[in-house]
Every structure is written in C-alpha cells, then in structure tokens.
C-alpha cells in the first residue's frame, strides 16, 4: 500500500513547502485540496522543489472550471513535474458551485462523466493531431487550432482520479477514471458495502475489472507520540466530522449506521451559524467508526485491518512525525 501525505494549507507557498517536506520524509505522493488556495498553482511551485514524489490535486473543483482549462493545467503540471502529476477531481456540492463559483449545476454524476470524457478528448486531439470534435449534453469542444495546441505530452497523460460519496458519482469514477479518492467521510462499512460495489458496476459498464484501478482509502487518523498529540488530533477530527456530517449530500453514510438524526442536528447547527458546536455532537463511537485513533502501533494495525485488502494507497497526515514502538516511522510501518 502506498502511503501519501496531504492536508490543508493557507497559502500556495505553504503547500509547496509541505510537498518538499513530504518528499524528504519518504512519502509516495503529496495531495493538495482546493480550499483557500489554487491547488494547480501550489503544485506548480511544488514541482520545482521536488524530484521524485507524485503530486496530485485532491481535489480540484471540476465544475468551477471548463474541461479545456483543466486539460491545459493538468498538461502543464505533467510537464513541469516530469510525469509525476495526478489529476484529482471532485464535484463539490450545489451551493458552492452556484453561490460561490456562480457556475451551473445539474445532474452532477452525468455532468462529471461527460467532463472527464471531454478532458480525455482534448488530450487525444493534442496527442494525435485528430480534429477535436467532442459534443455532449453539458460540454462541447469543437475548435482546436495549431496556435493553441501544445502537442503531445512527452510524459503521457496524467491519471485521473475522481472523488465521490454517492453511488452514482462512484459508478462514474469506475467507468471513466483511473482511480477513486475516498472521501474522508467514509467508513469501512460504507466502503465495503456501498463504494466498492458501485466502482465494480462502473468498471463492468466498460468491460473492465478492478485490476489496476487505484483506490485511495479513507484516512482520518488521530495519532502521535504523546497523549497530548493524540488528543489534539482527535479534537480536530471531531470538528471535521461535524462539518461533513452537516452536509445533506453525505447523509447516506450516516443513514447506513443509523445516525441520520445526528446529521439533521449538525445541519441545523450550521444553518444557525453555530459552527463551534458541531464537534460536540460527534461521540466516541462515531469518532472511532470514521477515524483510526490510537498510538502509532495501534494505527498501523487498524489501518491495515480496515483497508489493507481494499486500498492501494492511503494518506496519513503528519504520519512521519509518529513512530511505532520499535522506532520505525509510521509511514514505513504501513508499507510493511
């Protein structure tokens, strides 16, 4: 299992520095989410400061951008990183797309399927010189003159990962993507009972199996070398779980575990602007269902038990700071 790093940063410089640190620490990849910064810019800087580690967006908000824009940004980063880039895309939720980005929203799973196919059609045109002629229900790309054509990428096309929670989006990932980014708000049970079957259905639609398909497993981890470090990580994760649990789009995960009413309470708190209260609704049972909590030795054992036969990679924030009882770095212990 590959062990990746990633996390929230306040600036592109901070994210690029973290990518450099992750490479020095021995991680396999560094993923940048789109929150308070543009992940493409952060990784462009990061690519100049690293030489071996994979670099990916986890995620870039697809519907905030045109497929042509993303195709070009991904192509540039694949060149800048000498073939180390992975394009991770997600849909975000309707309020953010329509109210924050002022972009259209409709049929997100169908739109995402078409989006990825459009990006691949653009790359195909650049690679082969064939006429660009993509016509869909949501996106149409029929013009590519030589002046705007960067030509074939010497490192090939980057892999595309999709993120999702609902079954429709997950099926789309299996159908058109090279890998799947499990949302942090995913439990082992949800992954096995809902996510995996949906991915398999998507692969079957195009006559493929799960062989070679990448799955980045859920990775809420609260660990450290002291009780204080574990407690600090636990409090942070409870707040994150409260935030995600308040989102109606992620309600199916709570429903599977019989916690739908907690989702309603969390949603009501956020509607009233009581953000500081949401972590308090996450009890220890919910915490330990969504997250792996404990000493580094316990984390290695539990992550391997939960996801070792399912995930091909997993992200462990700051895992290099924790060591198992025999002095082995956490990320090395996870690799086995």
């Amino acid at each position: 299992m590959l062990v990746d790093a990633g996390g929230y940063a306040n600036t592109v410089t901070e994210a690029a520095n973290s990518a450099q640190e992750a490479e020095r620490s021995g991680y396999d990849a560094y993923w940048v989410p789109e929150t308070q910064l543009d992940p493409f810019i952060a990784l462009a800087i990061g690519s100049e400061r690293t030489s071996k580690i994979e670099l990916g967006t986890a995620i870039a908000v697809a519907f905030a951008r045109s497929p042509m824009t993303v195709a070009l940004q991904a192509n540039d980063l694949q060149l800048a990183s000498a073939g180390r880039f992975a394009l991770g895309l997600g849909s975000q939720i309707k309020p953010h797309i329509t109210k924050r980005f002022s972009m259209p929203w409709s049929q997100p799973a169908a739109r995402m399927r078409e989006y990825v196919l459009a990006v691949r059609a653009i790359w195909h045109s650049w690679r082969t010189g064939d006429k660009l002629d993509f016509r869909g229900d949501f996106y149409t790309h029929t013009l590519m003159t030589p002046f705007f054509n960067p030509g074939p990428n010497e490192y090939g096309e980057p892999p595309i990962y999709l993120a999702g929670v609902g079954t429709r989006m997950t099926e789309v990932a299996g159908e058109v993507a090279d890998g799947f980014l499990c949302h942090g708000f995913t439990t082992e049970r949800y992954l096995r009972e809902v996510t995996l079957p949906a991915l398999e259905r998507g692969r079957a639609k195009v006559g493929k199996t799960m062989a070679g398909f990448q799955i980045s497993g859920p990775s809420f981890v609260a660990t450290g070398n002291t009780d204080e470090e574990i407690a600090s990580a636990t409090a942070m994760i409870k707040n994150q779980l409260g935030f995600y649990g308040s989102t109606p789009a992620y309600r199916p995960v709570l429903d599977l575990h019989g916690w739908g009413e907690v989702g309603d309470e969390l949603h009501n708190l956020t509607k009233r602007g009581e953000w500081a209260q949401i972590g308090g609704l996450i009890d220890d049972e919910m915490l330990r269902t969504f997250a792996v909590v404990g000493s580094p030795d316990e984390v290695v054992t539990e992550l391997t038990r939960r996801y070792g036969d399912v995930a091909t990679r997993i992200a462990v924030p700051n895992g290099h700071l924790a060591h198992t009882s025999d002095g082995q770095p956490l990320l090395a212990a996870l690799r086995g």
Side-chain angles (χ1 to χ4, degrees):
M1 184 163 56
L2 299 175
V3 184
D4 302 339
Y8 301 107
N10 295 319
T11 67
V12 294
T13 301
E14 182 183 333
N17 289 340
S18 295
Q20 189 176 30
E21 180 185 358
E23 180 172 86
R24 285 197 301 263
S25 300
Y27 283 103
D28 294 297
Y30 185 77
W31 299 85
V32 178
E34 182 170 11
T35 51
Q36 299 175 3
L37 53 79
D38 186 315
F40 294 104
I41 296 176
L43 292 177
I45 301 172
S47 70
E48 295 183 340
R49 300 182 181 180
T50 58
S51 61
K52 297 180 296 183
I53 194 170
E54 293 179 61
L55 302 169
T57 54
I59 53 81
V61 181
F63 299 158
R65 301 172 172 87
S66 156
M68 182 64 70
T69 303
V70 167
L72 191 62
Q73 289 174 305
N75 185 71
D76 286 344
L77 274 170
Q78 182 75 332
L79 285 169
S81 65
R84 294 182 286 127
F85 178 66
L87 176 61
L89 297 172
S91 64
Q92 248 298 348
I93 58 175
K94 182 178 179 179
H96 284 272
I97 298 302
T98 60
K99 297 178 182 179
R100 183 157 68 98
F101 291 106
S102 189
M103 296 291 281
W105 173 277
S106 65
Q107 300 176 257
R111 181 181 288 270
M112 184 64 82
R113 177 184 181 277
E114 191 173 293
Y115 193 105
V116 173
L117 294 178
V119 170
R120 293 197 187 280
I122 293 165
W123 286 344
H124 174 85
S125 175
W126 293 346
R127 183 180 72 251
T128 65
D130 290 349
K131 176 179 171 55
L132 178 59
D133 188 22
F134 184 86
R135 302 171 189 270
D137 296 325
F138 308 99
Y139 303 101
T140 299
H141 299 278
T142 58
L143 179 64
M144 179 52 59
T145 60
F147 186 75
F148 295 102
N149 186 340
N153 192 307
E154 63 179 295
Y155 299 104
E157 297 161 4
I160 297 177
Y161 288 69
L162 284 186
V165 175
T167 55
R168 291 182 180 178
M169 187 67 75
T170 305
E171 283 188 25
V172 167
E175 181 182 356
V176 302
D178 303 297
F180 185 73
L181 299 168
C182 287
H183 196 287
F185 201 71
T186 298
T187 64
E188 179 190 5
R189 181 181 171 190
Y190 192 86
L191 173 60
R192 293 182 184 278
E193 295 182 14
V194 180
T195 301
L196 282 177
L199 288 172
E200 290 168 351
R201 290 193 298 272
R203 302 296 284 170
K205 285 182 181 179
V206 290
K208 295 181 180 179
T209 67
M210 294 296 291
F213 189 82
Q214 296 284 307
I215 297 178
S216 180
S219 54
F220 273 129
V221 173
T223 190
N225 294 314
T226 66
D227 290 342
E228 291 75 15
E229 289 177 354
I230 295 175
S232 176
T234 297
M236 184 180 300
I237 288 174
K238 280 191 173 184
N239 286 330
Q240 288 180 292
L241 290 173
F243 169 72
Y244 289 131
S246 71
T247 306
Y250 306 146
R251 175 69 179 262
V253 186
L254 293 173
D255 285 339
L256 182 68
H257 291 272
W259 293 325
E261 291 183 0
V262 178
D264 293 336
E265 293 180 57
L266 288 167
H267 184 65
N268 290 334
L269 283 176
T270 60
K271 296 291 275 188
R272 295 195 299 267
E274 298 177 14
W275 294 96
Q277 309 302 317
I278 57 177
L281 291 184
I282 307 300
D283 62 24
D284 285 343
E285 181 185 5
M286 292 182 68
L287 171 69
R288 292 182 178 276
T289 299
F290 282 96
V292 176
V293 181
S295 69
D297 294 85
E298 292 168 332
V299 164
V300 169
T301 299
E302 183 62 9
L303 280 175
T304 303
R305 185 200 67 77
R306 288 189 189 187
Y307 309 121
D309 63 329
V310 176
T312 59
R313 63 194 319 145
I314 197 159
V316 183
N318 298 323
H320 64 285
L321 299 177
H323 293 74
T324 56
S325 57
D326 61 358
Q328 189 177 25
L330 181 60
L331 67 90
L334 277 169
R335 286 201 190 100

PDB file of all heavy atoms in Angstrom, residues 276-304:
ATOM      1  N   ALA A 276     -18.993  26.339  16.062  1.00  0.00           N
ATOM      2  CA  ALA A 276     -18.146  25.887  17.167  1.00  0.00           C
ATOM      3  C   ALA A 276     -18.754  24.711  17.929  1.00  0.00           C
ATOM      4  O   ALA A 276     -18.061  24.055  18.711  1.00  0.00           O
ATOM      5  CB  ALA A 276     -17.891  27.042  18.129  1.00  0.00           C
ATOM      6  N   GLN A 277     -20.029  24.434  17.691  1.00  0.00           N
ATOM      7  CA  GLN A 277     -20.720  23.390  18.450  1.00  0.00           C
ATOM      8  C   GLN A 277     -20.722  22.034  17.741  1.00  0.00           C
ATOM      9  O   GLN A 277     -21.053  21.018  18.369  1.00  0.00           O
ATOM     10  CB  GLN A 277     -22.173  23.809  18.716  1.00  0.00           C
ATOM     11  CG  GLN A 277     -22.337  25.200  19.315  1.00  0.00           C
ATOM     12  CD  GLN A 277     -21.613  25.366  20.620  1.00  0.00           C
ATOM     13  OE1 GLN A 277     -21.655  24.472  21.468  1.00  0.00           O
ATOM     14  NE2 GLN A 277     -20.948  26.499  20.795  1.00  0.00           N
ATOM     15  N   ILE A 278     -20.367  22.004  16.467  1.00  0.00           N
ATOM     16  CA  ILE A 278     -20.606  20.772  15.697  1.00  0.00           C
ATOM     17  C   ILE A 278     -19.751  19.596  16.174  1.00  0.00           C
ATOM     18  O   ILE A 278     -20.200  18.452  16.165  1.00  0.00           O
ATOM     19  CB  ILE A 278     -20.400  21.006  14.173  1.00  0.00           C
ATOM     20  CG1 ILE A 278     -18.993  21.542  13.882  1.00  0.00           C
ATOM     21  CG2 ILE A 278     -21.464  21.955  13.635  1.00  0.00           C
ATOM     22  CD1 ILE A 278     -18.731  21.717  12.398  1.00  0.00           C
ATOM     23  N   GLY A 279     -18.518  19.870  16.584  1.00  0.00           N
ATOM     24  CA  GLY A 279     -17.668  18.775  17.039  1.00  0.00           C
ATOM     25  C   GLY A 279     -18.204  18.083  18.270  1.00  0.00           C
ATOM     26  O   GLY A 279     -17.946  16.887  18.491  1.00  0.00           O
ATOM     27  N   GLY A 280     -18.979  18.801  19.078  1.00  0.00           N
ATOM     28  CA  GLY A 280     -19.524  18.230  20.296  1.00  0.00           C
ATOM     29  C   GLY A 280     -20.570  17.160  20.064  1.00  0.00           C
ATOM     30  O   GLY A 280     -20.875  16.384  20.981  1.00  0.00           O
ATOM     31  N   LEU A 281     -21.137  17.099  18.862  1.00  0.00           N
ATOM     32  CA  LEU A 281     -22.143  16.077  18.555  1.00  0.00           C
ATOM     33  C   LEU A 281     -21.520  14.765  18.076  1.00  0.00           C
ATOM     34  O   LEU A 281     -22.228  13.782  17.863  1.00  0.00           O
ATOM     35  CB  LEU A 281     -23.114  16.597  17.490  1.00  0.00           C
ATOM     36  CG  LEU A 281     -24.051  17.727  17.919  1.00  0.00           C
ATOM     37  CD1 LEU A 281     -25.024  18.063  16.793  1.00  0.00           C
ATOM     38  CD2 LEU A 281     -24.825  17.356  19.179  1.00  0.00           C
ATOM     39  N   ILE A 282     -20.220  14.756  17.881  1.00  0.00           N
ATOM     40  CA  ILE A 282     -19.542  13.537  17.437  1.00  0.00           C
ATOM     41  C   ILE A 282     -19.075  12.775  18.660  1.00  0.00           C
ATOM     42  O   ILE A 282     -18.098  13.143  19.320  1.00  0.00           O
ATOM     43  CB  ILE A 282     -18.335  13.871  16.524  1.00  0.00           C
ATOM     44  CG1 ILE A 282     -18.763  14.779  15.375  1.00  0.00           C
ATOM     45  CG2 ILE A 282     -17.694  12.587  16.014  1.00  0.00           C
ATOM     46  CD1 ILE A 282     -19.827  14.190  14.471  1.00  0.00           C
ATOM     47  N   ASP A 283     -19.789  11.689  18.997  1.00  0.00           N
ATOM     48  CA  ASP A 283     -19.405  10.920  20.185  1.00  0.00           C
ATOM     49  C   ASP A 283     -18.263   9.960  19.840  1.00  0.00           C
ATOM     50  O   ASP A 283     -17.827   9.860  18.689  1.00  0.00           O
ATOM     51  CB  ASP A 283     -20.601  10.186  20.784  1.00  0.00           C
ATOM     52  CG  ASP A 283     -21.225   9.157  19.833  1.00  0.00           C
ATOM     53  OD1 ASP A 283     -20.527   8.671  18.914  1.00  0.00           O
ATOM     54  OD2 ASP A 283     -22.416   8.838  20.010  1.00  0.00           O
ATOM     55  N   ASP A 284     -17.783   9.236  20.853  1.00  0.00           N
ATOM     56  CA  ASP A 284     -16.623   8.375  20.655  1.00  0.00           C
ATOM     57  C   ASP A 284     -16.909   7.226  19.683  1.00  0.00           C
ATOM     58  O   ASP A 284     -16.027   6.798  18.935  1.00  0.00           O
ATOM     59  CB  ASP A 284     -16.152   7.808  21.992  1.00  0.00           C
ATOM     60  CG  ASP A 284     -15.422   8.845  22.832  1.00  0.00           C
ATOM     61  OD1 ASP A 284     -15.011   9.881  22.248  1.00  0.00           O
ATOM     62  OD2 ASP A 284     -15.268   8.634  24.050  1.00  0.00           O
ATOM     63  N   GLU A 285     -18.148   6.727  19.691  1.00  0.00           N
ATOM     64  CA  GLU A 285     -18.476   5.646  18.759  1.00  0.00           C
ATOM     65  C   GLU A 285     -18.377   6.132  17.319  1.00  0.00           C
ATOM     66  O   GLU A 285     -17.802   5.452  16.455  1.00  0.00           O
ATOM     67  CB  GLU A 285     -19.883   5.108  19.029  1.00  0.00           C
ATOM     68  CG  GLU A 285     -20.260   3.954  18.100  1.00  0.00           C
ATOM     69  CD  GLU A 285     -21.686   3.487  18.269  1.00  0.00           C
ATOM     70  OE1 GLU A 285     -22.437   4.115  19.054  1.00  0.00           O
ATOM     71  OE2 GLU A 285     -22.072   2.504  17.604  1.00  0.00           O
ATOM     72  N   MET A 286     -18.937   7.294  17.036  1.00  0.00           N
ATOM     73  CA  MET A 286     -18.851   7.853  15.690  1.00  0.00           C
ATOM     74  C   MET A 286     -17.401   8.149  15.327  1.00  0.00           C
ATOM     75  O   MET A 286     -16.955   7.845  14.215  1.00  0.00           O
ATOM     76  CB  MET A 286     -19.694   9.121  15.595  1.00  0.00           C
ATOM     77  CG  MET A 286     -21.180   8.904  15.705  1.00  0.00           C
ATOM     78  SD  MET A 286     -22.114  10.449  15.538  1.00  0.00           S
ATOM     79  CE  MET A 286     -21.792  10.837  13.813  1.00  0.00           C
ATOM     80  N   LEU A 287     -16.660   8.746  16.265  1.00  0.00           N
ATOM     81  CA  LEU A 287     -15.261   9.073  16.003  1.00  0.00           C
ATOM     82  C   LEU A 287     -14.488   7.840  15.576  1.00  0.00           C
ATOM     83  O   LEU A 287     -13.784   7.857  14.564  1.00  0.00           O
ATOM     84  CB  LEU A 287     -14.630   9.677  17.267  1.00  0.00           C
ATOM     85  CG  LEU A 287     -13.107   9.866  17.226  1.00  0.00           C
ATOM     86  CD1 LEU A 287     -12.733  10.962  16.246  1.00  0.00           C
ATOM     87  CD2 LEU A 287     -12.571  10.162  18.619  1.00  0.00           C
ATOM     88  N   ARG A 288     -14.619   6.765  16.323  1.00  0.00           N
ATOM     89  CA  ARG A 288     -13.819   5.574  16.044  1.00  0.00           C
ATOM     90  C   ARG A 288     -14.356   4.768  14.870  1.00  0.00           C
ATOM     91  O   ARG A 288     -13.660   3.887  14.370  1.00  0.00           O
ATOM     92  CB  ARG A 288     -13.715   4.708  17.315  1.00  0.00           C
ATOM     93  CG  ARG A 288     -12.889   5.405  18.397  1.00  0.00           C
ATOM     94  CD  ARG A 288     -12.709   4.569  19.648  1.00  0.00           C
ATOM     95  NE  ARG A 288     -11.875   5.274  20.613  1.00  0.00           N
ATOM     96  CZ  ARG A 288     -10.543   5.267  20.615  1.00  0.00           C
ATOM     97  NH1 ARG A 288      -9.896   4.558  19.702  1.00  0.00           N
ATOM     98  NH2 ARG A 288      -9.872   5.942  21.529  1.00  0.00           N
ATOM     99  N   THR A 289     -15.563   5.058  14.438  1.00  0.00           N
ATOM    100  CA  THR A 289     -16.080   4.431  13.215  1.00  0.00           C
ATOM    101  C   THR A 289     -15.499   5.114  11.980  1.00  0.00           C
ATOM    102  O   THR A 289     -15.138   4.452  11.001  1.00  0.00           O
ATOM    103  CB  THR A 289     -17.616   4.506  13.189  1.00  0.00           C
ATOM    104  OG1 THR A 289     -18.139   3.806  14.317  1.00  0.00           O
ATOM    105  CG2 THR A 289     -18.167   3.877  11.910  1.00  0.00           C
ATOM    106  N   PHE A 290     -15.398   6.426  12.030  1.00  0.00           N
ATOM    107  CA  PHE A 290     -14.864   7.178  10.897  1.00  0.00           C
ATOM    108  C   PHE A 290     -13.342   7.274  10.916  1.00  0.00           C
ATOM    109  O   PHE A 290     -12.716   7.334   9.848  1.00  0.00           O
ATOM    110  CB  PHE A 290     -15.445   8.601  10.883  1.00  0.00           C
ATOM    111  CG  PHE A 290     -16.839   8.694  10.352  1.00  0.00           C
ATOM    112  CD1 PHE A 290     -17.925   8.702  11.210  1.00  0.00           C
ATOM    113  CD2 PHE A 290     -17.062   8.770   8.986  1.00  0.00           C
ATOM    114  CE1 PHE A 290     -19.221   8.793  10.709  1.00  0.00           C
ATOM    115  CE2 PHE A 290     -18.351   8.864   8.478  1.00  0.00           C
ATOM    116  CZ  PHE A 290     -19.439   8.872   9.344  1.00  0.00           C
ATOM    117  N   ALA A 291     -12.763   7.324  12.101  1.00  0.00           N
ATOM    118  CA  ALA A 291     -11.323   7.584  12.218  1.00  0.00           C
ATOM    119  C   ALA A 291     -10.613   6.446  12.937  1.00  0.00           C
ATOM    120  O   ALA A 291     -11.210   5.694  13.712  1.00  0.00           O
ATOM    121  CB  ALA A 291     -11.095   8.894  12.967  1.00  0.00           C
ATOM    122  N   VAL A 292      -9.327   6.354  12.665  1.00  0.00           N
ATOM    123  CA  VAL A 292      -8.460   5.436  13.404  1.00  0.00           C
ATOM    124  C   VAL A 292      -7.738   6.259  14.457  1.00  0.00           C
ATOM    125  O   VAL A 292      -7.020   7.209  14.127  1.00  0.00           O
ATOM    126  CB  VAL A 292      -7.457   4.739  12.472  1.00  0.00           C
ATOM    127  CG1 VAL A 292      -6.504   3.865  13.274  1.00  0.00           C
ATOM    128  CG2 VAL A 292      -8.197   3.900  11.436  1.00  0.00           C
ATOM    129  N   VAL A 293      -7.929   5.893  15.715  1.00  0.00           N
ATOM    130  CA  VAL A 293      -7.403   6.673  16.830  1.00  0.00           C
ATOM    131  C   VAL A 293      -6.529   5.781  17.701  1.00  0.00           C
ATOM    132  O   VAL A 293      -6.925   4.666  18.055  1.00  0.00           O
ATOM    133  CB  VAL A 293      -8.547   7.262  17.686  1.00  0.00           C
ATOM    134  CG1 VAL A 293      -7.977   8.102  18.822  1.00  0.00           C
ATOM    135  CG2 VAL A 293      -9.498   8.088  16.831  1.00  0.00           C
ATOM    136  N   GLY A 294      -5.349   6.262  18.049  1.00  0.00           N
ATOM    137  CA  GLY A 294      -4.512   5.496  18.963  1.00  0.00           C
ATOM    138  C   GLY A 294      -3.038   5.745  18.762  1.00  0.00           C
ATOM    139  O   GLY A 294      -2.630   6.665  18.046  1.00  0.00           O
ATOM    140  N   SER A 295      -2.242   4.910  19.399  1.00  0.00           N
ATOM    141  CA  SER A 295      -0.798   5.004  19.261  1.00  0.00           C
ATOM    142  C   SER A 295      -0.393   4.615  17.838  1.00  0.00           C
ATOM    143  O   SER A 295      -1.177   3.992  17.105  1.00  0.00           O
ATOM    144  CB  SER A 295      -0.125   4.060  20.259  1.00  0.00           C
ATOM    145  OG  SER A 295      -0.365   2.705  19.872  1.00  0.00           O
ATOM    146  N   PRO A 296       0.818   4.960  17.419  1.00  0.00           N
ATOM    147  CA  PRO A 296       1.257   4.558  16.083  1.00  0.00           C
ATOM    148  C   PRO A 296       1.144   3.057  15.829  1.00  0.00           C
ATOM    149  O   PRO A 296       0.750   2.642  14.735  1.00  0.00           O
ATOM    150  CB  PRO A 296       2.715   5.038  16.040  1.00  0.00           C
ATOM    151  CG  PRO A 296       2.721   6.235  16.941  1.00  0.00           C
ATOM    152  CD  PRO A 296       1.782   5.875  18.068  1.00  0.00           C
ATOM    153  N   ASP A 297       1.477   2.226  16.821  1.00  0.00           N
ATOM    154  CA  ASP A 297       1.343   0.777  16.639  1.00  0.00           C
ATOM    155  C   ASP A 297      -0.109   0.388  16.388  1.00  0.00           C
ATOM    156  O   ASP A 297      -0.411  -0.436  15.509  1.00  0.00           O
ATOM    157  CB  ASP A 297       1.866   0.041  17.878  1.00  0.00           C
ATOM    158  CG  ASP A 297       3.358   0.207  18.072  1.00  0.00           C
ATOM    159  OD1 ASP A 297       3.759   1.214  18.673  1.00  0.00           O
ATOM    160  OD2 ASP A 297       4.112  -0.658  17.603  1.00  0.00           O
ATOM    161  N   GLU A 298      -1.009   0.981  17.165  1.00  0.00           N
ATOM    162  CA  GLU A 298      -2.424   0.681  17.009  1.00  0.00           C
ATOM    163  C   GLU A 298      -2.952   1.167  15.668  1.00  0.00           C
ATOM    164  O   GLU A 298      -3.775   0.498  15.025  1.00  0.00           O
ATOM    165  CB  GLU A 298      -3.220   1.325  18.146  1.00  0.00           C
ATOM    166  CG  GLU A 298      -2.948   0.705  19.505  1.00  0.00           C
ATOM    167  CD  GLU A 298      -3.508   1.527  20.655  1.00  0.00           C
ATOM    168  OE1 GLU A 298      -3.635   2.770  20.510  1.00  0.00           O
ATOM    169  OE2 GLU A 298      -3.807   0.927  21.707  1.00  0.00           O
ATOM    170  N   VAL A 299      -2.478   2.316  15.218  1.00  0.00           N
ATOM    171  CA  VAL A 299      -2.917   2.865  13.938  1.00  0.00           C
ATOM    172  C   VAL A 299      -2.491   1.970  12.784  1.00  0.00           C
ATOM    173  O   VAL A 299      -3.271   1.688  11.869  1.00  0.00           O
ATOM    174  CB  VAL A 299      -2.362   4.296  13.760  1.00  0.00           C
ATOM    175  CG1 VAL A 299      -2.463   4.738  12.304  1.00  0.00           C
ATOM    176  CG2 VAL A 299      -3.136   5.275  14.645  1.00  0.00           C
ATOM    177  N   VAL A 300      -1.252   1.513  12.806  1.00  0.00           N
ATOM    178  CA  VAL A 300      -0.765   0.631  11.741  1.00  0.00           C
ATOM    179  C   VAL A 300      -1.603  -0.642  11.668  1.00  0.00           C
ATOM    180  O   VAL A 300      -2.047  -1.066  10.593  1.00  0.00           O
ATOM    181  CB  VAL A 300       0.721   0.278  11.957  1.00  0.00           C
ATOM    182  CG1 VAL A 300       1.156  -0.838  11.010  1.00  0.00           C
ATOM    183  CG2 VAL A 300       1.592   1.507  11.751  1.00  0.00           C
ATOM    184  N   THR A 301      -1.853  -1.236  12.828  1.00  0.00           N
ATOM    185  CA  THR A 301      -2.637  -2.471  12.868  1.00  0.00           C
ATOM    186  C   THR A 301      -4.056  -2.257  12.350  1.00  0.00           C
ATOM    187  O   THR A 301      -4.573  -3.041  11.540  1.00  0.00           O
ATOM    188  CB  THR A 301      -2.692  -3.024  14.305  1.00  0.00           C
ATOM    189  OG1 THR A 301      -1.367  -3.323  14.746  1.00  0.00           O
ATOM    190  CG2 THR A 301      -3.535  -4.289  14.369  1.00  0.00           C
ATOM    191  N   GLU A 302      -4.693  -1.173  12.802  1.00  0.00           N
ATOM    192  CA  GLU A 302      -6.086  -0.947  12.449  1.00  0.00           C
ATOM    193  C   GLU A 302      -6.256  -0.492  11.005  1.00  0.00           C
ATOM    194  O   GLU A 302      -7.189  -0.934  10.317  1.00  0.00           O
ATOM    195  CB  GLU A 302      -6.713   0.063  13.411  1.00  0.00           C
ATOM    196  CG  GLU A 302      -8.204   0.336  13.174  1.00  0.00           C
ATOM    197  CD  GLU A 302      -9.081  -0.885  13.356  1.00  0.00           C
ATOM    198  OE1 GLU A 302      -8.593  -1.939  13.830  1.00  0.00           O
ATOM    199  OE2 GLU A 302     -10.277  -0.793  13.028  1.00  0.00           O
ATOM    200  N   LEU A 303      -5.403   0.385  10.508  1.00  0.00           N
ATOM    201  CA  LEU A 303      -5.488   0.802   9.111  1.00  0.00           C
ATOM    202  C   LEU A 303      -5.298  -0.399   8.180  1.00  0.00           C
ATOM    203  O   LEU A 303      -5.998  -0.534   7.174  1.00  0.00           O
ATOM    204  CB  LEU A 303      -4.449   1.866   8.794  1.00  0.00           C
ATOM    205  CG  LEU A 303      -4.767   3.302   9.195  1.00  0.00           C
ATOM    206  CD1 LEU A 303      -3.578   4.207   8.908  1.00  0.00           C
ATOM    207  CD2 LEU A 303      -6.000   3.815   8.453  1.00  0.00           C
ATOM    208  N   THR A 304      -4.361  -1.254   8.527  1.00  0.00           N
ATOM    209  CA  THR A 304      -4.116  -2.446   7.709  1.00  0.00           C
ATOM    210  C   THR A 304      -5.310  -3.382   7.750  1.00  0.00           C
ATOM    211  O   THR A 304      -5.702  -3.954   6.728  1.00  0.00           O
ATOM    212  CB  THR A 304      -2.852  -3.168   8.194  1.00  0.00           C
ATOM    213  OG1 THR A 304      -1.740  -2.268   8.150  1.00  0.00           O
ATOM    214  CG2 THR A 304      -2.546  -4.368   7.313  1.00  0.00           C
TER     215      THR A 304
END
